[in-house]
Amino acid sequence: MDAHTHAQHPLDGSIQGRPALPQGPLDIQKPGDCLALVRHTFGRLPRESLVVIGLLNGYTGGHMRIDLTPALREPFSSARLIADCLAGEGSSPAPEAALVVLIGDGPASATQDEAWRSCLKALRIMLDSEYCVRIVQAWFVCAGHVRDPLGADPRGDALPGRRIEDLRVPTLGGLPGHTSRRESQPLDQAAVSFLERAPAADPALEVLLGEARRQHEPQSHEGRLRRRLEAWDLALCQQLDAGEHASRTAPAPREGTRARTRQELRADAARLRELLGQLHTGFDRDLLIPLATLGLDHAIIGLRHRQGVEEAPMDSAEQHMLRRYAASFLGETHSRPDWERVDALEAVLGDLVPYARAAERENLLCLMAWIEWARGRGSAAGSFIDRCLQEFPENEFSRLIERLMQLKGVCLWARVKQHSWSWARSAVPSAD
């Protein structure tokens, strides 16, 4: 299940039964443009899926994708889930209309058409009766054909429909003033893409890292954990600073890379040991979630509590922080997390890929599964879960995330539009 809460693609043309929308590059009445929008949102046309895209004031809004099989098996339960996520509490600004696409692998048939229309009917009833959201466009896509079950397209409402290869399906770019996004990558290939774009290991650094791993650490376990959390906090801050600097400056001409000194390599190896040390156990790994989403102070409060180390009883402010610390794991803080730090966490984890071994790599993949679930990208989370279980079949954390997706569906952060990762990414940068 995937949730994209604020894509902001401008639309062109009129919606059936509604006034013309503001002029823009996309005409949602054309099946080719609708397929282009879905493909752009999810990287490609997802397989066996029910996709719903919200529309408001000439722009797309919330996006939902769920697997088609359960949607056909329990159409009203699935429709309620989609309607609540798309237009329910926390969805403001809620859509006024919706575009629906059902995508299957098998060829069209009368039996399939009946089942798909029943699913569409349940969705129409739930969206319209509960939230006054009209389905103004619907498309059935299967076996290389697309058809219009609402009958607005006289050439494509009968089985099997119009051939997709005969349509003009444009390639959508980014919005004006926005940098390109990673949405062109298929979400179900997120783990492969993440691992493939990791930098190559530095052989000299690997040798020194091996030496650093073997060095004795005299500090207590609590002291080591606190020091490592501070090292991670610094790494996230440095990642944010580097990203902000890169966005404000023009790329410098490339010159020959200066070879690092032995002292610099040793410093890098010591830093890597600290960062990788946080990935040795599930206890240590979990602390990185509140560290990224809430900040170092919340992670330290959680560390003290879980270790039973209390210098004095917690005051009310610390107790509030502890509650937020606990709520961060399920995205139930009822406030927007620090998505920039979460993105920085992903970047630092990517830099660690070539040096992570055994439990370090296992917990790295676990964190990436959690990050994608928190973002509302269930397909991407699933790709990391599959990769983790492929390499580490006994991993329990990945199975827990998988269970969370089954029981809770979309993370609450992703369901509340203005708290979501996709909303934060769509914000127009300040002219300053």
Side-chain angles (χ1 to χ4, degrees):
M1 179 182 299
D2 304 303
H4 296 257
T5 57
H6 199 64
Q8 279 195 327
H9 287 288
L11 305 173
D12 182 22
S14 60
I15 298 178
Q16 183 182 2
R18 289 187 175 268
L21 294 166
Q23 291 299 304
L26 200 62
D27 180 354
I28 64 165
Q29 294 188 99
K30 298 178 181 178
D33 283 331
C34 293
L35 297 180
L37 177 60
V38 174
R39 184 177 64 187
H40 178 75
T41 301
F42 298 100
R44 62 184 177 193
L45 285 180
R47 298 183 58 186
E48 293 291 319
S49 296
L50 168 59
V51 174
V52 183
I53 298 176
L55 308 172
L56 176 65
N57 296 330
Y59 288 84
T60 66
H63 297 59
M64 289 291 299
R65 187 212 66 83
I66 66 173
D67 292 341
L68 184 59
T69 299
L72 297 177
R73 185 171 56 245
E74 298 287 345
F76 277 95
S77 297
S78 300
R80 176 166 291 282
L81 171 64
I82 291 173
D84 288 347
C85 289
L86 197 68
E89 183 179 1
S91 66
S92 179
E96 62 179 355
L99 180 154
V100 177
V101 184
L102 281 76
I103 306 171
D105 290 336
S109 68
T111 302
Q112 178 215 56
D113 190 65
E114 181 180 359
W116 286 24
R117 287 179 183 274
S118 295
C119 182
L120 178 61
K121 179 180 179 181
L123 194 55
R124 294 182 74 176
I125 291 173
M126 201 64 65
L127 282 171
D128 201 347
S129 64
E130 295 286 336
Y131 299 110
C132 299
V133 175
R134 291 183 55 204
I135 294 177
V136 293
Q137 288 284 317
W139 301 96
F140 289 174
V141 181
C142 58
H145 290 76
V146 56
R147 62 187 189 277
D148 174 13
L150 301 184
D153 179 6
R155 294 178 295 168
D157 60 346
L159 294 173
R162 300 169 64 180
R163 293 198 310 170
I164 294 177
E165 65 181 31
D166 294 337
L167 304 176
R168 176 186 172 274
V169 182
T171 299
L172 302 184
L175 295 175
H178 285 244
T179 56
S180 62
R181 301 297 191 183
R182 291 177 301 158
E183 300 304 331
S184 58
Q185 293 287 345
L187 295 184
D188 57 3
Q189 295 297 310
V192 172
S193 175
F194 173 80
L195 295 172
E196 286 181 348
R197 68 173 180 264
D202 183 326
L205 185 55
E206 281 190 299
V207 172
L208 293 175
L209 176 59
E211 296 176 1
R213 289 181 192 272
R214 293 189 291 271
Q215 292 177 1
H216 176 66
E217 295 185 285
Q219 283 183 294
S220 66
H221 181 59
E222 182 205 352
R224 287 198 303 271
L225 275 180
R226 188 177 186 117
R227 188 189 69 217
R228 287 171 179 167
L229 283 174
E230 291 170 347
W232 267 95
D233 186 61
L234 176 61
L236 298 186
C237 291
Q238 289 174 335
Q239 184 68 40
L240 288 172
D241 290 343
E244 183 177 356
H245 176 75
S247 67
R248 292 183 176 181
T249 59
R254 298 197 62 175
E255 300 176 358
T257 304
R258 178 182 67 84
R260 286 176 292 173
T261 66
R262 184 82 171 175
Q263 183 177 4
E264 290 172 330
L265 285 171
R266 286 191 182 280
D268 287 344
R271 173 179 171 273
L272 282 176
R273 183 188 67 171
E274 293 290 275
L275 299 179
L276 290 167
Q278 194 69 35
L279 301 177
H280 284 172
T281 70
F283 174 87
D284 301 347
R285 170 205 66 212
D286 291 351
L287 290 171
L288 294 178
I289 291 174
L291 176 74
T293 57
L294 302 175
L296 178 61
D297 51 352
H298 287 77
I300 295 296
I301 285 285
L303 170 61
R304 286 170 47 197
H305 176 73
R306 292 176 67 177
Q307 291 288 83
V309 179
E310 300 291 346
E311 295 85 359
M314 289 186 179
D315 58 27
S316 59
E318 290 175 322
Q319 291 174 1
H320 177 68
M321 289 172 60
L322 183 60
R323 288 193 293 270
R324 283 171 52 78
Y325 158 87
S328 67
F329 297 98
L330 297 180
E332 295 179 351
T333 59
H334 303 290
S335 62
R336 180 183 178 274
D338 192 332
W339 287 120
E340 290 185 343
R341 281 175 64 92
V342 173
D343 290 345
L345 174 60
E346 178 189 6
V348 176
L349 290 172
D351 290 340
L352 295 180
V353 166
Y355 304 102
R357 302 288 182 268
E360 298 165 354
R361 181 177 174 91
E362 181 177 2
N363 286 315
L364 185 154
L365 292 172
C366 287
L367 280 171
M368 285 304 306
W370 180 89
I371 287 172
E372 295 292 18
W373 173 70
R375 288 169 168 168
R377 301 183 355 147
S379 296
S383 74
F384 281 100
I385 290 171
D386 291 343
R387 183 60 179 252
C388 186
L389 292 176
Q390 176 187 343
E391 296 186 22
F392 307 97
E394 303 303 316
N395 182 266
E396 290 298 326
F397 188 88
S398 289
R399 298 187 191 281
L400 176 61
I401 298 297
E402 192 170 39
R403 188 65 175 157
L404 273 175
M405 291 195 293
Q406 293 170 353
L407 294 177
K408 290 182 172 289
V410 177
C411 176
L412 185 58
W413 280 331
R415 293 181 64 165
V416 178
K417 188 167 290 186
Q418 295 189 18
H419 294 170
S420 68
W421 178 70
S422 51
W423 178 278
R425 291 168 82 238
S426 70
V428 178
S430 171
D432 298 336

